[in-house]
């Protein structure tokens, strides 16, 4: 089955700087790559996703890039704000099945 | 805004006891998932339903876990007997009808502590 790995496990950034989280996946058949944000005590929420026919997608301060050849995709957060502090999960899959990474703790320092 | 409802939010039980979690999906969502999230880890799929049918329960420890989705609407996940290693957050997620994988909507989760 699909195996998803995230790096780094923890990332601290100064407010206003950019944050980048990288994920690698193992199954070349995967065609859907979402990113979820989980705040303390809450369930994960989708923040952005990308499909395999697209290399990059942007939504305001958030962007995702996909490299299918290398089987990795990245989340980019620009102009970070304190409310961006959370755990971010990447996932990969298709056919209504997703495998999640272990999560990345992002801390934005005011 | 429609939400996935889960209850209870918190459950403390002693090992060997039975526990049950309930999920009410967003109306019209055919696909329902139960995930287990151990502290510091990502969600791991336990069982997937399409309407009332189980699509994937390969990771469900069937000797102690059971799940059902009667009438293809709300769902119940049961653990009997609970073990110390079952302490985790149990997340329910739902998605739209079949076809391409799309957004999963998660509930707030049910946090289980087994003493």
């Amino acid at each position: 089955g699909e195996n998803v790995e995230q790096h780094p496990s923890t990332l601290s950034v100064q407010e206003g700087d950019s944050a980048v989280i990288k994920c690698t996946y193992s199954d070349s058949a995967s065609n859907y790559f979402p990113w979820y944000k989980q705040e303390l005590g809450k369930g994960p929420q989708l923040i952005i996703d990308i499909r395999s026919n697209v290399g990059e997608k942007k939504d305001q301060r958030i962007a995702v890039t996909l490299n299918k050849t290398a089987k990795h995709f990245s989340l980019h957060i620009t102009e970070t704000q304190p409310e961006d502090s959370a755990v971010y999960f990447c996932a990969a899959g298709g056919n209504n099945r997703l495998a999640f990474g272990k999560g990345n703790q992002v801390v934005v320092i005011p | 805004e429609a939400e996935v409802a889960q209850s209870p939010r918190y459950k403390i039980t002693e090992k060997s006891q039975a526990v049950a979690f309930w999920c009410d999906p967003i109306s019209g969502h055919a696909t329902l998932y139960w995930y287990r999230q151990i502290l510091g880890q990502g969600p791991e799929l336990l069982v997937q339903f399409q309407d009332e049918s189980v699509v994937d329960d390969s990771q469900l420890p069937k000797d102690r876990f059971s799940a059902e989705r009667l009438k293809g609407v709300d769902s119940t996940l049961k653990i009997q007997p609970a073990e110390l290693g079952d302490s985790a957050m149990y997340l329910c997620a739902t998605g739209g009808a079949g076809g391409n994988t799309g957004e999963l909507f998660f509930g707030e989760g049910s946090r289980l502590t087994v003493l």
Side-chain angles (χ1 to χ4, degrees):
Chain A
E2 177 62 271
N3 182 43
V4 179
E5 295 190 358
Q6 285 185 242
H7 306 279
S9 59
T10 304
L11 178 63
S12 296
V13 295
Q14 291 289 333
E15 181 178 356
D17 288 351
S18 295
V20 180
I21 308 168
K22 298 180 181 178
C23 269
T24 60
Y25 62 99
S26 62
D27 189 350
S28 56
S30 289
N31 57 20
Y32 178 63
F33 309 92
W35 283 93
Y36 283 81
K37 176 182 180 182
Q38 187 174 27
E39 296 176 346
L40 200 61
K42 297 188 176 182
Q45 263 199 315
L46 181 74
I47 55 171
I48 196 167
D49 57 8
I50 193 168
R51 296 194 184 273
S52 57
N53 58 348
V54 177
E56 183 175 358
K57 185 176 177 181
K58 190 174 180 181
D59 183 3
Q60 299 181 355
R61 296 187 297 108
I62 295 172
V64 56
T65 58
L66 171 65
N67 184 327
K68 284 217 73 179
T69 302
K71 287 191 269 187
H72 68 71
F73 56 112
S74 299
L75 176 70
H76 305 253
I77 307 173
T78 59
E79 301 172 22
T80 53
Q81 301 169 5
E83 52 265 37
D84 295 329
S85 294
V87 177
Y88 292 83
F89 293 97
C90 62
N95 294 322
N96 286 320
R97 298 181 186 184
L98 287 176
F100 285 81
K102 291 187 176 182
N104 181 294
Q105 175 78 55
V106 173
V107 178
V108 179
I109 303 166
Chain B
E1 183 176 303
E3 294 181 344
V4 175
Q6 287 190 247
S7 66
R9 288 292 311 277
Y10 305 94
K11 177 69 177 179
I12 300 174
T13 190
E14 294 184 344
K15 62 180 181 180
S16 80
Q17 296 298 304
V19 294
F21 304 112
W22 176 78
C23 173
D24 189 13
I26 294 172
S27 178
H29 278 196
T31 311
L32 185 147
Y33 309 78
W34 282 102
Y35 284 90
R36 177 169 58 188
Q37 185 178 24
I38 296 170
L39 195 63
Q41 303 286 317
E44 295 176 319
L45 180 68
L46 290 174
V47 61
Q48 177 184 349
F49 289 92
Q50 181 70 29
D51 298 309
E52 69 276 9
S53 300
V54 173
V55 173
D56 183 357
D57 64 356
S58 57
Q59 301 304 309
L60 188 71
K62 299 181 189 64
D63 57 334
R64 298 185 300 108
F65 286 65
S66 64
E68 59 182 14
R69 191 182 183 196
L70 299 175
K71 301 180 181 178
V73 182
D74 57 341
S75 177
T76 303
L77 178 69
K78 297 179 181 178
I79 308 174
Q80 182 173 19
E83 295 182 353
L84 295 177
D86 296 332
S87 294
M89 176 79 86
Y90 290 85
L91 292 163
C92 177
T94 68
N100 281 336
T101 303
E103 179 176 0
L104 295 188
F105 295 83
F106 282 86
E108 301 271 87
S110 294
R111 179 164 294 283
L112 172 65
T113 301
V114 182
L115 303 176

